Amino acid sequence: MSVSLIFPVKNEGDNVKKTLDSLFSKKTNTHFEVIVVDDGSTDDGCFFLHSYSHRNSIQLITTDGVGAANARNTGAYAAEGEFLVFCDAHLQFEDWWIDHLLDPILSGLTDAVSPAIGSIGNDHFIGYGQSLKPNFRIKWNAMPQSLNETAVLPGACIVITKKVFEDIGGFEKRFKTWGHEDVEISIKLWLFGYRCHVLPSVKILHLFRKTLPYNVGYQDIYYNLMWIAYSHFNARRILTCRKLIHDGKAGEIEKRVLDNGALIQRKDYFSRRKREDNWYFNKFQIDF
């Protein structure tokens, strides 16, 4: 069994080193490789890797600002592991975290899993998977008793087999710079017949930053929202997404989405999916 840990990086400063120091200091019986995808950083935050003590276990890939989704895809394409672990580059780990997160997948209980997510610097916060609000924003789930289904896998840490990842086409390749990557892949997994869970007995600490590493405009986020809508949703929900665009450019953004081939993808996805979007929203009691 082999595992590939994929860390997308964009102007993370010393967070990358802190994250890797934490990773390599923890106990595990799992063989893993590390892939760092530096997506056009300008802060030299990955320069330390050239002399890092664990450099022989790390593959550094540089990309030219392909965005959050495609940086993850780039790492996955280079991965040799049977299992992919997508991690933010600002995390702190615990002993045996990889081993425990692999257990429910190896046991056939789920197809993709995330740990509980705590907050670096805030001992009072911990989230157990995510769901969606009526405005399509994220909300964190309360603590379950054991392995539990979740509508959205937190993008901070997602474990999935490479086979399943490739079957669903990975993260959305046509997304703009940043926004909704974890939401889209979670919805796609569920609609394509797979299962997403959170394992509350494993906790990873995450640095919730006040600013984004990417220069992101609302039009990019709205574009990604409309791309999700046309890829996965019925006509009523497409209209609901359109109404969430408040800058007066809904028509322009929708036209760009359609011109870029959203209807072709919609036809393909609708022919392959095992469940309808109504099933997903009803199952998780999401009013959207």
Side-chain angles (χ1 to χ4, degrees):
M1 179 177 64
S2 57
V3 175
S4 299
L5 290 98
I6 299 163
F7 293 88
V9 174
K10 179 73 171 183
N11 293 332
E12 288 281 355
D14 62 356
N15 289 332
V16 185
K17 186 176 186 303
K18 290 178 179 178
T19 298
L20 294 180
D21 285 348
S22 176
L23 171 68
F24 285 108
S25 70
K26 303 309 177 186
K27 297 176 182 178
T28 180
N29 289 322
T30 302
H31 171 74
F32 62 84
E33 65 171 348
V34 173
I35 300 173
V36 174
V37 183
D38 185 356
D39 190 27
S41 296
T42 57
D43 65 352
D44 292 327
C46 290
F47 186 79
F48 77 96
L49 290 173
H50 298 292
S51 58
Y52 190 55
S53 57
H54 298 281
R55 62 187 178 277
N56 292 334
S57 301
I58 301 170
Q59 178 182 174
L60 174 62
I61 300 173
T62 57
T63 49
D64 188 20
V66 297
N70 281 307
R72 287 166 170 79
N73 287 334
T74 298
Y77 298 150
E80 297 182 356
E82 305 167 65
F83 298 86
L84 306 177
V85 184
F86 296 96
C87 290
D88 283 350
H90 35 272
L91 300 177
Q92 292 180 6
F93 303 98
E94 62 183 17
D95 288 340
W96 313 113
W97 71 277
I98 302 175
D99 311 66
H100 293 323
L101 285 175
L102 289 172
D103 282 344
I105 297 180
L106 292 170
S107 301
L109 299 176
T110 190
D111 301 294
V113 63
S114 288
I117 302 294
S119 174
I120 296 174
N122 180 3
D123 295 338
H124 300 291
F125 173 83
I126 184 167
Y128 300 88
Q130 298 171 329
S131 189
L132 294 167
K133 300 177 183 179
N135 62 359
F136 211 71
R137 297 198 177 185
I138 287 295
K139 65 178 180 180
W140 289 90
N141 298 331
M143 181 179 180
Q145 294 299 311
S146 58
L147 183 72
N148 197 59
E149 294 176 331
T150 185
V152 177
L153 297 161
C157 183
I158 298 174
V159 183
I160 187 171
T161 67
K162 192 171 187 180
K163 182 179 179 181
V164 170
F165 183 81
E166 291 176 343
D167 181 59
I168 65 171
F171 287 92
E172 178 49 58
K173 300 174 182 64
R174 294 179 180 85
F175 266 7
K176 300 300 181 182
T177 312
W178 181 93
H180 301 307
E181 299 85 17
D182 47 0
V183 173
E184 194 279 334
I185 199 170
S186 301
I187 291 174
K188 186 162 52 178
L189 280 162
W190 279 113
L191 296 187
F192 278 35
Y194 294 108
R195 300 158 297 170
C196 303
H197 285 74
V198 62
L199 185 63
S201 58
V202 178
K203 182 173 74 171
I204 287 175
L205 298 182
H206 177 268
L207 178 63
F208 289 91
R209 296 166 298 172
K210 295 180 180 180
T211 58
L212 295 174
Y214 287 97
N215 183 16
V216 182
Y218 276 105
Q219 287 199 40
D220 285 353
I221 297 174
Y222 289 148
Y223 178 98
N224 292 354
L225 172 63
M226 290 306 300
W227 193 273
I228 292 175
Y230 272 99
S231 296
H232 301 297
F233 295 166
N234 61 32
R236 182 188 67 78
R237 288 196 175 92
I238 291 175
L239 181 59
T240 299
C241 290
R242 200 178 191 279
K243 290 178 178 177
L244 291 176
I245 301 175
H246 300 303
D247 64 356
K249 296 187 177 181
E252 175 185 325
I253 292 170
E254 187 173 31
K255 183 178 185 303
R256 285 167 51 209
V257 166
L258 294 173
D259 288 346
N260 286 339
L263 292 181
I264 296 173
Q265 178 158 292
R266 178 182 180 85
K267 183 178 179 180
D268 175 48
Y269 279 8
F270 273 54
S271 69
R272 295 176 56 201
R273 70 185 193 178
K274 306 295 191 300
R275 299 158 175 153
E276 296 184 357
D277 54 323
N278 280 339
W279 176 92
Y280 172 83
F281 287 100
N282 290 335
K283 176 179 178 60
F284 293 105
Q285 300 179 345
I286 300 171
D287 182 17
F288 185 81

